[in-house]
Amino acid sequence: SALLSAEKDRLMALPTNSFKPLSVYETEAAGEAIRGLMVGATDGVPYLEAIGYLAYTFDTADGKHYFLLREPRDPIGPEQFRGLGLVVINRASSSRVVIHAKHVGNDSKSHVTSRLFFEDLGALALVWNGVRRCDSNELSSCTSQTAPNAICGGFGDPISDASVSPALGANAGIAD
């Protein structure tokens, strides 16, 4: 709980419009490595670390076992980050449920409600988007670039909005 609150604070403190999104190849390879972690395979962890994740395993006092992937505070430098977000995988889950919180940086309660769903359902994974909705000037090819954007202003939807990002959409391919 404290870790997740600190992660939301870290996300909110990052400079806007400064993330370097993953390439299509990096997204596909990261998705494959994360899918592997979901079934207990750790051979993809070096790749996840190479693209910028810090990878941990930890156990809780009540005997639960988890993998944790998160982006360090300044992985590339103080003015650029990858927007990797946070992934927590329940290593003993009998569920296939993945909880995805797309707008942790913008919504006041997403970090709390997603954690509660993850814990209460015994879900397989908790995935947080690693950027705020309006963190990019690059527009998504997934939506109209001429429609007004009521949240970020201007027209079109930025690639930093997980709902419309070609790289981040559909949980970056980590859940089938």
Side-chain angles (χ1 to χ4, degrees):
S1 179
L3 171 72
L4 297 180
S5 292
E7 185 65 14
K8 177 177 170 104
D9 292 344
R10 179 195 73 83
L11 177 62
M12 293 308 297
L14 289 168
T16 59
N17 232 350
S18 61
F19 88 103
K20 178 183 175 192
L22 297 176
S23 69
V24 171
Y25 170 77
E26 289 172 320
T27 300
E28 290 171 358
E32 188 64 31
I34 292 171
R35 276 192 300 277
L37 280 175
M38 289 181 177
V39 295
T42 59
D43 54 323
V45 170
Y47 177 77
L48 294 168
E49 291 173 330
I51 64 168
Y53 273 117
L54 295 176
Y56 307 91
T57 60
F58 69 95
D59 301 324
T60 61
D62 61 357
K64 294 182 180 165
H65 311 288
Y66 298 94
F67 287 112
L68 171 69
L69 303 170
R70 70 175 191 85
E71 187 170 19
R73 183 168 293 280
D74 295 320
I76 298 173
E79 298 305 318
Q80 191 170 55
F81 62 103
R82 298 304 304 266
L84 298 174
L86 177 109
V87 179
V88 182
I89 298 171
N90 180 347
R91 295 168 50 200
S93 178
S94 59
S95 170
R96 292 188 46 150
V97 173
V98 175
I99 306 297
H100 181 208
K102 297 184 281 192
H103 302 300
V104 170
N106 292 86
D107 299 338
S108 62
K109 302 232 186 284
S110 290
H111 67 297
V112 174
T113 55
S114 62
R115 178 186 60 85
L116 291 172
F117 277 123
F118 175 68
E119 291 173 352
D120 291 350
L121 294 173
L124 175 60
L126 171 64
V127 180
W128 281 6
N129 184 24
V131 294
R132 293 168 293 209
R133 285 182 178 157
C134 306
D135 271 351
S136 177
N137 286 329
E138 185 178 341
L139 296 179
S140 173
S141 59
C142 296
T143 60
S144 169
Q145 296 185 7
T146 59
N149 185 317
I151 296 171
C152 299
F155 294 88
D157 294 303
I159 63 169
S160 51
D161 187 337
S163 300
V164 297
S165 173
L168 300 174
N171 296 332
I174 61 171
D176 297 332

Coordinates of all heavy atoms in Angstrom, one line a residue, residues 38-119:
M38 N 3.8 -14.1 -15.7 CA 2.4 -14.5 -15.2 C 2.3 -16.0 -15.1 O 1.4 -16.4 -14.4 CB 1.4 -13.9 -16.1 CG 1.2 -12.4 -16.0 SD -0.1 -11.8 -17.1 CE -0.1 -10.1 -16.7
V39 N 3.1 -16.7 -15.8 CA 3.1 -18.2 -15.7 C 4.3 -18.7 -15.0 O 4.6 -19.9 -15.0 CB 2.8 -18.9 -17.0 CG1 1.5 -18.5 -17.6 CG2 4.0 -18.6 -18.0
G40 N 5.1 -17.8 -14.4 CA 6.2 -18.2 -13.6 C 7.6 -18.3 -14.3 O 8.6 -18.6 -13.7
A41 N 7.6 -17.9 -15.5 CA 8.9 -18.0 -16.3 C 9.6 -16.6 -16.1 O 9.1 -15.6 -16.3 CB 8.6 -18.2 -17.8
T42 N 10.9 -16.7 -15.7 CA 11.6 -15.5 -15.4 C 12.7 -15.2 -16.4 O 13.5 -14.3 -16.3 CB 12.3 -15.6 -14.0 OG1 13.2 -16.8 -14.0 CG2 11.3 -15.7 -12.9
D43 N 12.8 -16.0 -17.5 CA 13.8 -15.7 -18.5 C 13.7 -14.4 -19.2 O 14.7 -13.9 -19.8 CB 13.9 -16.9 -19.5 CG 12.5 -17.2 -20.2 OD1 11.5 -17.1 -19.5 OD2 12.5 -17.5 -21.4
G44 N 12.6 -13.7 -19.2 CA 12.4 -12.4 -19.8 C 12.8 -11.3 -18.9 O 12.8 -10.1 -19.4
V45 N 13.1 -11.5 -17.7 CA 13.4 -10.4 -16.7 C 14.6 -9.6 -17.2 O 14.6 -8.4 -17.1 CB 13.6 -11.0 -15.3 CG1 14.2 -9.9 -14.4 CG2 12.3 -11.5 -14.7
P46 N 15.7 -10.2 -17.7 CA 16.8 -9.4 -18.2 C 16.4 -8.4 -19.3 O 16.9 -7.2 -19.3 CB 17.9 -10.4 -18.7 CG 17.6 -11.6 -17.9 CD 16.1 -11.6 -17.7
Y47 N 15.5 -8.8 -20.2 CA 15.0 -7.9 -21.2 C 14.2 -6.7 -20.5 O 14.4 -5.6 -20.9 CB 14.1 -8.6 -22.2 CG 13.6 -7.6 -23.2 CD1 14.4 -7.1 -24.2 CD2 12.3 -7.1 -23.1 CE1 14.0 -6.1 -25.1 CE2 11.8 -6.1 -24.0 CZ 12.7 -5.6 -25.0 OH 12.2 -4.7 -25.8
L48 N 13.4 -7.0 -19.6 CA 12.6 -6.0 -18.9 C 13.5 -5.0 -18.2 O 13.3 -3.8 -18.2 CB 11.6 -6.6 -17.9 CG 10.5 -7.5 -18.6 CD1 9.7 -8.3 -17.6 CD2 9.5 -6.6 -19.4
E49 N 14.5 -5.5 -17.6 CA 15.5 -4.6 -16.9 C 16.3 -3.8 -18.0 O 16.6 -2.6 -17.7 CB 16.5 -5.5 -16.1 CG 15.8 -6.1 -14.9 CD 16.7 -7.0 -14.1 OE1 17.5 -7.7 -14.7 OE2 16.4 -7.1 -12.9
A50 N 16.6 -4.4 -19.1 CA 17.3 -3.6 -20.2 C 16.5 -2.5 -20.7 O 17.1 -1.4 -21.1 CB 17.7 -4.6 -21.3
I51 N 15.1 -2.6 -20.8 CA 14.4 -1.4 -21.3 C 14.0 -0.4 -20.2 O 13.5 0.6 -20.5 CB 13.1 -1.9 -22.0 CG1 12.1 -2.6 -21.0 CG2 13.4 -2.7 -23.2 CD1 10.7 -2.8 -21.6
G52 N 14.4 -0.7 -18.9 CA 14.3 0.3 -17.9 C 13.5 -0.1 -16.6 O 13.4 0.6 -15.7
Y53 N 12.9 -1.3 -16.6 CA 12.2 -1.8 -15.4 C 13.2 -2.2 -14.3 O 14.3 -2.7 -14.6 CB 11.4 -3.0 -15.6 CG 10.0 -2.7 -16.1 CD1 9.6 -3.2 -17.4 CD2 9.0 -2.0 -15.4 CE1 8.3 -2.9 -17.9 CE2 7.8 -1.8 -15.8 CZ 7.4 -2.3 -17.1 OH 6.1 -2.0 -17.5
L54 N 12.9 -1.9 -13.1 CA 13.5 -2.5 -11.9 C 12.6 -3.7 -11.6 O 11.4 -3.6 -11.6 CB 13.6 -1.6 -10.7 CG 14.4 -0.3 -10.9 CD1 14.3 0.6 -9.6 CD2 15.9 -0.7 -11.1
A55 N 13.2 -4.9 -11.4 CA 12.4 -6.1 -11.2 C 12.8 -6.7 -9.8 O 13.9 -6.8 -9.4 CB 12.8 -7.1 -12.3
Y56 N 11.7 -7.0 -9.1 CA 11.9 -7.5 -7.7 C 10.9 -8.7 -7.5 O 9.9 -8.8 -8.2 CB 11.4 -6.5 -6.7 CG 12.0 -5.1 -6.7 CD1 11.4 -4.1 -7.5 CD2 13.2 -4.8 -6.0 CE1 12.0 -2.9 -7.5 CE2 13.7 -3.6 -6.1 CZ 13.1 -2.6 -6.8 OH 13.7 -1.3 -6.8
T57 N 11.3 -9.5 -6.6 CA 10.3 -10.5 -6.0 C 10.2 -10.1 -4.5 O 11.1 -9.7 -3.9 CB 10.7 -12.0 -6.2 OG1 12.0 -12.1 -5.5 CG2 10.9 -12.3 -7.6
F58 N 9.0 -10.3 -4.0 CA 8.8 -10.1 -2.6 C 7.7 -10.9 -2.1 O 6.8 -11.4 -2.8 CB 8.6 -8.6 -2.3 CG 7.3 -8.0 -2.7 CD1 6.2 -8.0 -1.9 CD2 7.1 -7.6 -4.0 CE1 5.0 -7.5 -2.3 CE2 5.9 -7.0 -4.5 CZ 4.8 -7.0 -3.6
D59 N 7.8 -11.2 -0.8 CA 6.8 -12.0 -0.1 C 6.2 -11.1 1.0 O 6.8 -10.3 1.6 CB 7.4 -13.2 0.6 CG 8.0 -14.1 -0.4 OD1 7.5 -14.2 -1.5 OD2 9.1 -14.7 -0.1
T60 N 4.9 -11.3 1.3 CA 4.2 -10.5 2.3 C 4.2 -11.3 3.6 O 4.4 -12.5 3.6 CB 2.8 -10.1 1.9 OG1 2.0 -11.3 1.6 CG2 2.8 -9.3 0.6
A61 N 3.8 -10.6 4.7 CA 3.8 -11.3 6.0 C 2.8 -12.4 6.0 O 2.9 -13.4 6.8 CB 3.5 -10.2 7.1
D62 N 1.7 -12.3 5.2 CA 0.7 -13.4 5.2 C 1.0 -14.5 4.2 O 0.2 -15.3 3.9 CB -0.7 -12.8 4.9 CG -0.8 -12.1 3.6 OD1 0.2 -12.0 2.9 OD2 -1.9 -11.6 3.3
G63 N 2.3 -14.5 3.7 CA 2.7 -15.6 2.9 C 2.5 -15.5 1.4 O 2.6 -16.5 0.6
K64 N 2.0 -14.3 0.9 CA 1.8 -14.2 -0.6 C 3.1 -13.8 -1.3 O 4.0 -13.2 -0.7 CB 0.7 -13.1 -0.8 CG -0.6 -13.5 -0.3 CD -1.7 -12.5 -0.5 CE -3.0 -13.0 0.0 NZ -4.0 -12.0 0.1
H65 N 3.2 -14.3 -2.5 CA 4.5 -14.1 -3.3 C 4.2 -13.3 -4.6 O 3.2 -13.6 -5.3 CB 5.0 -15.5 -3.7 CG 5.1 -16.4 -2.6 ND1 6.0 -16.3 -1.6 CD2 4.4 -17.5 -2.3 CE1 5.9 -17.3 -0.7 NE2 4.8 -18.0 -1.1
Y66 N 5.0 -12.3 -4.8 CA 4.8 -11.3 -5.9 C 6.0 -11.1 -6.7 O 7.2 -11.1 -6.2 CB 4.3 -10.0 -5.4 CG 2.9 -10.1 -4.7 CD1 2.9 -10.2 -3.3 CD2 1.8 -10.1 -5.4 CE1 1.7 -10.3 -2.6 CE2 0.5 -10.1 -4.7 CZ 0.5 -10.3 -3.4 OH -0.7 -10.4 -2.7
F67 N 5.8 -10.7 -8.0 CA 6.9 -10.1 -8.8 C 6.4 -8.6 -8.9 O 5.2 -8.3 -9.0 CB 6.9 -10.6 -10.3 CG 7.4 -12.0 -10.5 CD1 6.6 -13.0 -10.8 CD2 8.8 -12.2 -10.3 CE1 7.1 -14.3 -11.0 CE2 9.3 -13.5 -10.5 CZ 8.4 -14.5 -10.9
L68 N 7.4 -7.7 -8.9 CA 7.1 -6.3 -9.0 C 8.0 -5.7 -10.1 O 9.2 -5.9 -10.1 CB 7.4 -5.6 -7.7 CG 7.3 -4.0 -7.7 CD1 5.9 -3.6 -7.9 CD2 7.9 -3.5 -6.4
L69 N 7.5 -5.0 -11.0 CA 8.2 -4.3 -12.0 C 7.8 -2.8 -11.9 O 6.6 -2.5 -11.9 CB 7.8 -4.8 -13.4 CG 8.0 -6.2 -13.7 CD1 7.4 -6.6 -15.1 CD2 9.5 -6.6 -13.7
R70 N 8.8 -1.9 -11.8 CA 8.5 -0.5 -11.8 C 9.7 0.3 -12.4 O 10.8 -0.2 -12.5 CB 8.3 0.0 -10.4 CG 9.4 0.0 -9.5 CD 9.1 0.6 -8.1 NE 10.3 0.9 -7.3 CZ 11.0 2.0 -7.4 NH1 10.7 2.9 -8.3 NH2 12.1 2.1 -6.6
E71 N 9.4 1.4 -12.8 CA 10.4 2.3 -13.4 C 11.1 3.1 -12.3 O 10.4 3.7 -11.5 CB 9.8 3.2 -14.5 CG 10.7 4.1 -15.2 CD 10.0 4.8 -16.4 OE1 8.8 5.0 -16.4 OE2 10.7 5.2 -17.3
P72 N 12.4 3.2 -12.4 CA 13.1 4.0 -11.3 C 12.8 5.5 -11.6 O 12.3 5.9 -12.6 CB 14.6 3.7 -11.6 CG 14.7 3.2 -12.9 CD 13.4 2.6 -13.3
R73 N 13.1 6.3 -10.6 CA 12.8 7.7 -10.6 C 13.3 8.4 -11.9 O 12.7 9.1 -12.6 CB 13.3 8.5 -9.4 CG 12.9 9.9 -9.4 CD 13.1 10.6 -8.1 NE 12.2 10.1 -7.1 CZ 10.9 10.5 -6.9 NH1 10.4 11.4 -7.7 NH2 10.2 10.0 -5.9
D74 N 14.6 8.2 -12.2 CA 15.2 8.8 -13.4 C 16.0 7.8 -14.2 O 17.2 7.8 -14.2 CB 16.2 9.9 -12.9 CG 15.5 11.1 -12.2 OD1 14.5 11.5 -12.7 OD2 16.1 11.6 -11.2
P75 N 15.2 6.9 -14.9 CA 15.9 5.8 -15.6 C 16.8 6.3 -16.8 O 17.8 5.7 -17.0 CB 14.7 5.0 -16.2 CG 13.6 6.0 -16.2 CD 13.8 6.9 -15.1
I76 N 16.4 7.4 -17.5 CA 17.2 7.9 -18.6 C 17.8 9.2 -18.2 O 18.9 9.6 -18.7 CB 16.4 8.0 -19.9 CG1 15.8 6.6 -20.3 CG2 17.1 8.6 -21.0 CD1 14.8 6.6 -21.4
G77 N 17.2 9.9 -17.4 CA 17.6 11.2 -17.0 C 16.5 12.0 -16.4 O 15.3 11.5 -16.6
P78 N 16.7 13.1 -15.7 CA 15.6 13.8 -15.1 C 14.6 14.3 -16.0 O 13.4 14.6 -15.7 CB 16.3 14.9 -14.3 CG 17.6 15.1 -14.9 CD 18.0 13.7 -15.5
E79 N 14.9 14.5 -17.3 CA 14.0 15.1 -18.3 C 13.4 14.1 -19.2 O 12.7 14.5 -20.1 CB 14.7 16.2 -19.1 CG 15.2 17.3 -18.2 CD 14.1 18.0 -17.4 OE1 13.0 18.2 -17.9 OE2 14.4 18.2 -16.2
Q80 N 13.6 12.8 -19.0 CA 13.0 11.8 -19.9 C 12.9 10.5 -19.2 O 13.7 10.0 -18.5 CB 13.9 11.6 -21.1 CG 13.2 10.8 -22.2 CD 14.0 10.8 -23.5 OE1 15.1 10.5 -23.5 NE2 13.3 11.2 -24.6
F81 N 11.7 9.9 -19.3 CA 11.4 8.6 -18.8 C 10.7 7.8 -19.8 O 10.2 8.3 -20.8 CB 10.7 8.7 -17.4 CG 9.3 9.3 -17.5 CD1 8.2 8.6 -17.5 CD2 9.2 10.7 -17.6 CE1 6.9 9.1 -17.6 CE2 7.9 11.3 -17.7 CZ 6.8 10.5 -17.7
R82 N 10.5 6.5 -19.6 CA 9.9 5.6 -20.5 C 8.4 5.4 -20.4 O 7.7 4.9 -21.2 CB 10.6 4.2 -20.5 CG 12.0 4.1 -20.8 CD 12.4 4.7 -22.2 NE 11.8 4.2 -23.3 CZ 12.3 3.2 -24.1 NH1 13.4 2.6 -23.8 NH2 11.6 2.8 -25.2
G83 N 7.8 5.8 -19.2 CA 6.4 5.6 -19.0 C 6.0 4.2 -18.8 O 4.9 3.8 -19.2
L84 N 6.9 3.4 -18.2 CA 6.7 2.0 -18.1 C 5.6 1.6 -17.1 O 5.0 0.5 -17.2 CB 8.0 1.3 -17.6 CG 9.2 1.4 -18.6 CD1 10.4 0.8 -18.0 CD2 8.8 0.7 -19.9
G85 N 5.4 2.5 -16.1 CA 4.3 2.2 -15.1 C 4.8 1.1 -14.1 O 6.0 0.9 -13.9
L86 N 3.8 0.5 -13.6 CA 4.0 -0.5 -12.5 C 3.3 -1.8 -12.8 O 2.1 -1.7 -13.3 CB 3.5 0.1 -11.2 CG 3.6 -0.8 -10.0 CD1 4.6 -0.3 -9.0 CD2 2.2 -0.8 -9.3
V87 N 3.9 -2.9 -12.6 CA 3.2 -4.2 -12.8 C 3.5 -5.0 -11.5 O 4.7 -5.2 -11.1 CB 3.8 -4.9 -14.0 CG1 3.1 -6.3 -14.2 CG2 3.6 -4.1 -15.3
V88 N 2.4 -5.5 -10.9 CA 2.6 -6.4 -9.8 C 1.9 -7.7 -10.2 O 0.8 -7.7 -10.6 CB 1.9 -5.9 -8.5 CG1 2.1 -6.8 -7.3 CG2 2.4 -4.5 -8.2
I89 N 2.7 -8.8 -10.1 CA 2.1 -10.1 -10.5 C 2.0 -11.0 -9.3 O 3.0 -11.2 -8.5 CB 3.0 -10.8 -11.6 CG1 3.0 -9.9 -12.8 CG2 2.5 -12.2 -11.9 CD1 4.0 -10.3 -13.9
N90 N 0.9 -11.5 -9.0 CA 0.6 -12.5 -7.9 C 1.1 -13.8 -8.3 O 0.5 -14.5 -9.2 CB -0.9 -12.5 -7.6 CG -1.3 -13.4 -6.5 OD1 -0.5 -14.2 -6.0 ND2 -2.5 -13.3 -6.0
R91 N 2.2 -14.3 -7.8 CA 2.9 -15.5 -8.2 C 2.1 -16.8 -7.8 O 2.4 -17.9 -8.2 CB 4.3 -15.6 -7.6 CG 5.2 -14.5 -8.2 CD 6.5 -14.3 -7.5 NE 7.2 -15.6 -7.3 CZ 8.2 -15.7 -6.4 NH1 8.5 -14.7 -5.6 NH2 8.8 -16.9 -6.3
A92 N 1.1 -16.6 -7.0 CA 0.3 -17.8 -6.5 C -1.2 -17.7 -6.9 O -2.0 -18.4 -6.3 CB 0.5 -18.0 -5.0
S93 N -1.5 -16.8 -7.8 CA -2.9 -16.6 -8.1 C -3.5 -17.8 -8.9 O -2.8 -18.3 -9.8 CB -3.1 -15.3 -9.0 OG -4.4 -15.1 -9.3
S94 N -4.7 -18.1 -8.6 CA -5.4 -19.1 -9.5 C -6.3 -18.4 -10.5 O -7.0 -19.1 -11.2 CB -6.2 -20.1 -8.6 OG -7.1 -19.4 -7.8
S95 N -6.3 -17.1 -10.5 CA -7.1 -16.3 -11.3 C -6.4 -15.9 -12.6 O -5.2 -15.9 -12.6 CB -7.5 -15.1 -10.5 OG -8.2 -14.1 -11.4
R96 N -7.1 -15.5 -13.6 CA -6.5 -15.0 -14.8 C -6.9 -13.5 -14.9 O -6.6 -12.9 -15.9 CB -7.0 -15.7 -16.0 CG -6.5 -17.1 -16.1 CD -6.9 -17.8 -17.4 NE -6.6 -16.8 -18.5 CZ -6.2 -17.1 -19.7 NH1 -6.1 -18.3 -20.0 NH2 -6.0 -16.2 -20.6
V97 N -7.5 -12.9 -13.9 CA -7.9 -11.5 -13.9 C -6.7 -10.6 -13.8 O -5.8 -10.8 -13.0 CB -8.9 -11.2 -12.7 CG1 -9.2 -9.8 -12.6 CG2 -10.1 -12.1 -12.9
V98 N -6.7 -9.6 -14.7 CA -5.7 -8.6 -14.7 C -6.4 -7.2 -14.5 O -7.3 -6.9 -15.2 CB -4.9 -8.5 -16.0 CG1 -3.9 -7.3 -16.1 CG2 -4.2 -9.8 -16.3
I99 N -6.0 -6.5 -13.5 CA -6.6 -5.2 -13.2 C -5.7 -4.1 -13.8 O -4.5 -4.1 -13.5 CB -6.6 -4.9 -11.6 CG1 -7.4 -6.1 -10.9 CG2 -7.2 -3.6 -11.3 CD1 -8.8 -6.2 -11.3
H100 N -6.2 -3.3 -14.7 CA -5.5 -2.3 -15.4 C -6.0 -0.9 -15.0 O -7.2 -0.6 -15.2 CB -5.6 -2.5 -16.9 CG -4.8 -1.5 -17.7 ND1 -5.2 -1.1 -19.0 CD2 -3.7 -0.8 -17.4 CE1 -4.3 -0.3 -19.4 NE2 -3.4 -0.1 -18.5
A101 N -5.2 -0.1 -14.4 CA -5.5 1.3 -14.0 C -4.8 2.2 -15.0 O -3.6 2.4 -15.0 CB -5.1 1.6 -12.6
K102 N -5.6 2.8 -15.9 CA -5.1 3.6 -17.0 C -4.7 5.0 -16.7 O -3.9 5.6 -17.3 CB -6.1 3.6 -18.2 CG -6.3 2.2 -18.8 CD -7.2 2.3 -20.0 CE -8.6 2.5 -19.6 NZ -9.6 2.3 -20.7
H103 N -5.4 5.6 -15.7 CA -5.2 7.0 -15.5 C -4.9 7.3 -14.0 O -5.4 8.2 -13.4 CB -6.5 7.7 -15.9 CG -6.9 7.5 -17.3 ND1 -6.0 7.9 -18.3 CD2 -7.9 7.0 -17.9 CE1 -6.6 7.6 -19.5 NE2 -7.8 7.0 -19.2
V104 N -3.9 6.5 -13.5 CA -3.5 6.7 -12.1 C -3.1 8.2 -11.8 O -3.4 8.7 -10.8 CB -2.4 5.7 -11.7 CG1 -1.9 6.0 -10.3 CG2 -3.0 4.3 -11.7
G105 N -2.3 8.7 -12.7 CA -1.8 10.1 -12.5 C -2.9 11.2 -12.6 O -2.7 12.2 -12.0
N106 N -4.0 10.9 -13.2 CA -5.1 11.9 -13.4 C -6.3 11.7 -12.4 O -6.9 12.6 -12.0 CB -5.6 11.9 -14.8 CG -4.6 12.4 -15.8 OD1 -3.8 11.6 -16.3 ND2 -4.6 13.7 -16.1
D107 N -6.5 10.5 -12.1 CA -7.7 10.2 -11.3 C -7.3 10.1 -9.8 O -6.3 9.5 -9.4 CB -8.3 8.8 -11.7 CG -8.8 8.8 -13.1 OD1 -9.0 10.0 -13.7 OD2 -8.9 7.8 -13.7
S108 N -8.2 10.6 -9.0 CA -7.8 10.7 -7.5 C -7.9 9.4 -6.8 O -7.2 9.2 -5.8 CB -8.7 11.7 -6.8 OG -10.1 11.3 -6.9
K109 N -8.6 8.4 -7.3 CA -8.8 7.2 -6.5 C -8.4 5.9 -7.3 O -8.5 4.8 -6.8 CB -10.3 7.0 -6.1 CG -10.7 8.2 -5.3 CD -11.3 7.8 -4.0 CE -11.9 8.9 -3.2 NZ -11.1 9.7 -2.5
S110 N -7.9 6.0 -8.5 CA -7.6 4.8 -9.3 C -6.5 4.0 -8.6 O -6.6 2.7 -8.7 CB -7.0 5.2 -10.7 OG -8.1 5.7 -11.5
H111 N -5.5 4.6 -8.0 CA -4.5 3.8 -7.4 C -5.0 3.0 -6.2 O -4.6 1.9 -5.9 CB -3.3 4.7 -7.0 CG -3.6 5.7 -5.9 ND1 -4.5 6.7 -6.0 CD2 -3.1 5.8 -4.6 CE1 -4.6 7.4 -4.9 NE2 -3.7 6.9 -4.0
V112 N -6.0 3.5 -5.5 CA -6.6 2.8 -4.3 C -7.5 1.8 -4.8 O -7.5 0.6 -4.3 CB -7.3 3.8 -3.4 CG1 -8.0 3.1 -2.2 CG2 -6.3 4.8 -2.8
T113 N -8.5 2.1 -5.7 CA -9.5 1.1 -6.1 C -8.9 0.0 -6.9 O -9.3 -1.2 -6.7 CB -10.6 1.8 -6.9 OG1 -10.0 2.5 -8.0 CG2 -11.4 2.7 -6.1
S114 N -7.9 0.3 -7.7 CA -7.2 -0.8 -8.4 C -6.5 -1.8 -7.5 O -6.6 -3.0 -7.7 CB -6.3 -0.3 -9.5 OG -5.2 0.4 -8.9
R115 N -5.8 -1.2 -6.5 CA -5.2 -2.1 -5.5 C -6.2 -2.9 -4.7 O -6.0 -4.1 -4.5 CB -4.4 -1.3 -4.5 CG -3.7 -2.1 -3.4 CD -3.0 -1.2 -2.4 NE -3.9 -0.4 -1.7 CZ -4.7 -0.7 -0.6 NH1 -4.6 -1.9 -0.1 NH2 -5.4 0.2 0.0
L116 N -7.3 -2.4 -4.3 CA -8.3 -3.1 -3.6 C -8.9 -4.2 -4.4 O -9.1 -5.3 -4.0 CB -9.4 -2.2 -3.1 CG -9.0 -1.2 -2.0 CD1 -10.1 -0.2 -1.7 CD2 -8.6 -1.9 -0.7
F117 N -9.2 -3.9 -5.7 CA -9.7 -5.0 -6.6 C -8.6 -6.1 -6.7 O -9.0 -7.3 -6.7 CB -10.0 -4.4 -8.0 CG -11.4 -3.8 -8.1 CD1 -11.5 -2.5 -8.5 CD2 -12.5 -4.5 -7.8 CE1 -12.8 -1.9 -8.6 CE2 -13.8 -4.0 -7.9 CZ -13.9 -2.7 -8.3
F118 N -7.4 -5.7 -6.9 CA -6.3 -6.7 -7.1 C -6.2 -7.6 -5.9 O -6.2 -8.8 -6.0 CB -5.0 -6.0 -7.3 CG -3.8 -6.8 -7.3 CD1 -3.5 -7.7 -8.4 CD2 -2.8 -6.8 -6.3 CE1 -2.4 -8.5 -8.4 CE2 -1.7 -7.5 -6.3 CZ -1.5 -8.4 -7.4
E119 N -6.2 -7.0 -4.7 CA -6.1 -7.8 -3.4 C -7.4 -8.6 -3.2 O -7.3 -9.8 -2.9 CB -5.8 -6.9 -2.3 CG -4.4 -6.3 -2.3 CD -4.2 -5.2 -1.2 OE1 -5.2 -4.9 -0.5 OE2 -3.1 -4.8 -1.1

